[in-house]
Amino acid sequence: MNEGFDIYTIVFLALAIFVFWKLRSVLGTRTGSERPPQDPYVGRPQPDPANDKVIPLPQRTSEPQAAPVGAPDEPAEPRWAGIAAPDSAVARGLDQIAEAENGFDARGFIGGAKAAYEMIVTAFASGDRKTLKPLLAREVYDSFNSAISDRESRGETVESNFVSIEKSEITSAEIVGRTVQVTVRFVSQLISATRDKAGAVIDGSPTEIADLVDVWTFARDLNARDPNWRLISTEPV
């Protein structure tokens, strides 16, 4: 009897030890350094019972704010600021052009005139008639073409390096009939030398920078579909 009791006792004791070992391997043991469980609602904004149907939207800081009532209005910048003095002949001429040509941009015009100026000066020096023709009025093209032909007949060549445009300003703006005319004064720097048949320099310098001042007038026909401006006259100063 005692022998049987002892055998069962040993069997159940061994089974209890086995179950305890399995539970310990699955659940692990606490060492005292464990982090407390995180509450998923801590740190989140709590709904306001009085406004539980209102969803706040982020503020738009990029839009201009309305001026406070009663604040004095700032004076408006002159229409042609940086281009023409207020109420000057040039400003009045630009106003006239802007009324006739919707979307006329004087600053954009100056940028285009500068690009055309550099292109024309460079093309004339190299004798590039193909580039010159669409940029010049017929009379101006004929004059440029004649000068190029005379140079070629003498066997002369021009070496030209455009350095920079130091200044460009509108000196006149008007509408003559249905033709818009804008005159620009350019101050530029150029390295230019003309050589004869033998290669000797007969004008200018291949190394020195020369200052150049030109007054050019550009025009376009308001009735024409072609939006391009053309050079109609040149005046070296």
Side-chain angles (χ1 to χ4, degrees):
M1 186 85 174
N2 291 337
E3 187 177 10
F5 174 80
D6 290 340
I7 291 173
Y8 285 115
T9 300
I10 293 172
V11 170
F12 281 113
L13 181 60
L15 181 61
I17 293 172
F18 174 78
V19 171
F20 175 77
W21 177 80
K22 289 295 291 181
L23 288 173
R24 187 172 183 271
S25 65
V26 172
L27 301 178
T29 59
R30 297 180 64 86
T31 63
S33 61
E34 293 83 8
R35 296 176 61 183
Q38 182 178 359
D39 186 344
Y41 298 98
V42 172
R44 294 189 180 183
Q46 300 300 317
D48 185 352
N51 298 289
D52 58 352
K53 294 183 180 180
V54 177
I55 302 176
L57 297 178
Q59 297 295 322
R60 294 175 61 89
T61 57
S62 59
E63 294 187 359
Q65 301 296 322
V69 177
D73 294 334
E74 295 183 2
E77 187 178 33
R79 185 178 191 181
W80 309 112
I83 297 174
D87 201 34
S88 63
V90 173
R92 291 193 295 271
L94 292 174
D95 284 338
Q96 184 184 19
I97 294 172
E99 291 177 4
E101 288 236 315
N102 187 27
F104 174 74
D105 179 8
R107 285 185 175 80
F109 171 83
I110 292 177
K114 289 167 66 176
Y117 176 77
E118 181 176 351
M119 189 180 299
I120 291 170
V121 169
T122 302
F124 175 71
S126 63
D128 184 356
R129 295 176 175 86
K130 185 176 180 180
T131 296
L132 291 172
K133 195 164 189 177
L135 299 174
L136 311 178
R138 181 181 297 244
E139 297 79 4
V140 179
Y141 175 78
D142 290 342
S143 176
F144 276 42
N145 182 48
S146 177
I148 293 172
S149 297
D150 290 344
R151 193 171 66 205
E152 291 173 341
S153 67
R154 296 189 297 268
E156 297 173 355
T157 57
V158 177
E159 298 173 359
S160 180
N161 182 19
F162 201 93
V163 178
S164 65
I165 296 177
E166 298 297 304
K167 188 176 182 180
S168 57
E169 59 179 345
I170 296 176
T171 60
S172 176
E174 59 182 343
I175 296 179
V176 180
R178 292 296 296 171
T179 302
V180 181
Q181 297 184 6
V182 181
T183 301
V184 183
R185 181 178 182 269
F186 297 100
V187 179
S188 61
Q189 291 187 326
L190 187 72
I191 298 174
S192 180
T194 302
R195 298 181 183 272
D196 61 14
K197 286 183 179 181
V201 176
I202 58 176
D203 188 32
S205 169
T207 57
E208 295 181 3
I209 297 176
D211 293 326
L212 191 64
V213 180
D214 286 299
V215 177
W216 286 13
T217 300
F218 298 88
R220 69 174 300 270
D221 188 348
L222 287 173
N223 297 322
R225 293 183 178 181
D226 184 359
N228 294 324
W229 295 72
R230 286 179 172 78
L231 178 63
I232 64 170
S233 70
T234 64
E235 299 176 34
V237 178

